[in-house]
Amino acid sequence: MTPIKCVQGADGSAAATDCALTAVTCFQPKFIGYTGVAAGVDYGCGACPAGKTDKCDTCAAKAADGCNKAPTTGADFNCHSYTVTKDENDVIIIAKNNVVTTCKRLQATAIACNMPTATSTDTTYTSVSGCGPCEGAQKTGSTCAECTIAECNVMIPIKCVQGADGSAAATDCALTAVTCFQPKFIGYTGVAAGVDYGCGACPAGKTDKCDTCAAKAADGCNKAPTTGVDFKCHSYTVTKDKVIKITKNNVVTTCKRLQATAIACNMPTATSTDTTYTSVSGCGPCEGAQKTGSTCAECTTAECNAMTPIKCVQGADGSAAATDCALTAVTCFQPKFIEYTGVAAEVDYGCGACPAGKTEKCSTCAEKAADGCNKPEDVGEDFKCNTWTWDDATTKYKIAETTCKRKKVTGSSVTCPLKTPPKHRTQAQAAVEHAKQMKKTRIKAARSAQQHFATIVPLPSL
């Protein structure tokens, strides 16, 4: 019988020698990828020692130098290693260990290192040494990254500006951070309060006034924005009680802006309501619907949004000087001047539309004038006309004198009706005729605007 030859001994360096005739296999310690030869197992003849099968291999090939000679290894290389843990608040912490790992390999095995990603957890990244490629599920799940050069597995933290006011230089974040956060810059208001600058996602409960960025920049992607020079705007309050009231607030607003943001102020219009003009500060342009709805006006220089009220004569007789109206007023009103009768009664002078129920004897104007567009009419000199009333009892006309009013611009040719004695008529006929004559008189007066004379012909009694 020819015995098989096996390498025998502690380190596999000895030449193969004959085994007992009962031996049909040789054994040796396993080579564990990137870790090296398993400890606690020698080289020898027969089956693996009891209790060591997990780190022992066997071979049955009959070779003169033994089938279990020590494997040919490649040069060792180093990799960084990481520890991924979860704290008591369930926050994942990725820590880079201080000491690099020496990685072992067979001659045909390529160099490979692995590392966690920022999204790794304590269960999705399990490498202890950092040596070798990622495990399949961890690689496909993007919780492990690999590379093929010694010590290539260095996680590079992103840099973020950190602190209260954004003035500090960007510094390294935790390895779990993939974004930076910062307070929002709210147009024309400024940096949102209550949010700092830092690494990671926005703090809970503050997402409405916080922004994040993911760009990797040496100075941090969350630098404080570059602002333009502050400017001021007037502000207004629009309220509704029984009527709409527009009030210009006493204090101007300081408006904040980014460097590229243009200066803009807004203001209500005379037709704004408490729901169609909602700006509180007066800073910035009008909101779209309010601008297109003509309930907001805008301008582009500091403090340009001063609403100028129209001036109207106000009071009972029109003798007062024009004064400012409410900001909602767009017209002035005044009593009508009824030709040859005079100023309509029961209507004052004022701002806005004609009082309810008085439109037939009231007129409005919209011209903006320093002395008001509703000044009393310039009147011409009064003149008198006789009126004739038939008295059936005396069968004669009764004569009475009437004072006639006229506009100065009318330049009326002062002509009274009924220049010749009327024929006897009934009172109804006389009234109809009188009305016709008065109409003709007014027409004639309008056509004689440049004449200024009076012709009063009294009629003899009948």
Side-chain angles (χ1 to χ4, degrees):
M1 290 181 66
T2 304
I4 64 170
K5 290 180 181 290
C6 293
V7 173
Q8 300 176 54
D11 59 4
S13 61
T17 54
D18 289 347
C19 295
L21 292 174
T22 53
V24 293
T25 59
C26 302
F27 69 85
Q28 68 188 114
K30 279 186 177 179
F31 189 93
I32 301 169
Y34 301 101
T35 300
V37 174
V41 178
D42 292 341
Y43 293 76
C45 304
C48 284
K52 298 184 178 182
T53 53
D54 57 329
K55 50 185 178 179
C56 175
D57 280 332
T58 59
C59 59
K62 293 178 180 179
D65 55 354
C67 63
N68 65 333
K69 49 185 188 296
T72 303
T73 56
D76 294 347
F77 62 96
N78 292 332
C79 289
H80 300 283
S81 64
Y82 297 84
T83 302
V84 182
T85 56
K86 182 189 289 186
D87 69 10
E88 65 276 8
N89 297 315
D90 289 338
V91 174
I92 296 296
I93 299 171
I94 300 176
K96 183 172 175 284
N97 299 320
N98 292 328
V99 180
V100 294
T101 305
T102 298
C103 307
K104 306 288 186 177
R105 62 182 179 125
L106 297 175
Q107 192 175 48
T109 302
I111 292 173
C113 297
N114 67 74
M115 57 187 161
T117 66
T119 57
S120 298
T121 70
D122 55 328
T123 59
T124 61
Y125 179 79
T126 55
S127 176
V128 175
S129 66
C131 298
C134 297
E135 294 183 11
Q138 295 182 14
K139 181 177 180 178
T140 56
S142 299
T143 60
C144 177
E146 60 188 42
C147 53
T148 57
I149 302 172
E151 297 189 49
C152 59
N153 61 333
V154 178
M155 287 187 76
I156 300 174
I158 63 169
K159 289 181 181 288
C160 295
V161 175
Q162 301 177 54
D165 60 3
S167 60
T171 52
D172 288 349
C173 295
L175 293 173
T176 51
V178 292
T179 59
C180 304
F181 69 84
Q182 67 190 112
K184 279 185 178 178
F185 188 93
I186 301 168
Y188 301 100
T189 299
V191 174
V195 179
D196 290 344
Y197 293 75
C199 305
C202 286
K206 297 185 177 181
T207 52
D208 58 326
K209 51 185 179 179
C210 175
D211 281 330
T212 59
C213 57
K216 293 179 179 178
D219 54 353
C221 62
N222 65 331
K223 301 187 298 292
T226 303
T227 56
V229 178
D230 293 348
F231 63 98
K232 295 182 184 295
C233 291
H234 300 285
S235 65
Y236 296 83
T237 302
V238 183
T239 56
K240 181 179 182 182
D241 185 5
K242 292 182 179 179
V243 296
I244 295 295
K245 182 179 180 181
I246 299 174
T247 304
K248 183 171 175 283
N249 300 321
N250 291 329
V251 180
V252 294
T253 305
T254 298
C255 309
K256 306 286 185 178
R257 63 183 178 123
L258 297 175
Q259 191 173 49
T261 302
I263 291 173
C265 297
N266 68 74
M267 58 188 160
T269 65
T271 58
S272 298
T273 71
D274 56 326
T275 58
T276 61
Y277 179 79
T278 54
S279 176
V280 174
S281 66
C283 300
C286 297
E287 293 183 12
Q290 295 182 14
K291 181 177 181 180
T292 56
S294 298
T295 60
C296 178
E298 60 189 42
C299 51
T300 56
T301 56
E303 296 188 57
C304 58
N305 62 332
M307 287 185 76
T308 304
I310 64 169
K311 291 181 180 289
C312 295
V313 175
Q314 301 177 55
D317 59 3
S319 61
T323 54
D324 288 347
C325 295
L327 293 173
T328 50
V330 292
T331 58
C332 304
F333 69 85
Q334 67 190 110
K336 282 184 178 177
F337 187 94
I338 302 168
E339 192 71 280
Y340 300 107
T341 299
V343 175
E346 300 179 353
V347 178
D348 290 343
Y349 293 76
C351 305
C354 286
K358 297 184 178 181
T359 53
E360 77 285 349
K361 49 186 175 180
C362 173
S363 61
T364 59
C365 58
E367 295 83 7
K368 293 179 180 179
D371 55 353
C373 62
N374 65 333
K375 302 187 300 292
E377 298 277 1
D378 289 333
V379 294
E381 184 179 353
D382 292 349
F383 63 95
K384 296 184 182 295
C385 287
N386 292 327
T387 59
W388 301 78
T389 305
W390 178 258
D391 187 354
D392 287 330
T394 63
T395 65
K396 292 183 179 180
Y397 279 99
K398 289 183 179 181
I399 303 173
E401 195 174 68
T402 300
T403 299
C404 304
K405 306 285 184 178
R406 62 188 177 123
K407 294 180 183 180
K408 186 174 184 179
V409 295
T410 303
S412 304
S413 172
V414 182
T415 304
C416 297
L418 301 177
K419 288 184 178 180
T420 58
K423 296 178 180 180
H424 171 62
R425 292 163 292 181
T426 66
Q427 190 168 358
Q429 289 171 327
V432 171
E433 182 63 28
H434 179 72
K436 289 180 180 179
Q437 289 293 335
M438 287 297 290
K439 182 175 180 180
K440 289 178 181 179
T441 298
R442 286 193 291 271
I443 293 171
K444 184 175 181 182
R447 291 173 178 172
S448 306
Q450 303 303 318
Q451 299 179 24
H452 298 279
F453 62 90
T455 304
I456 301 175
V457 183
L459 295 177
S461 61
L462 298 178

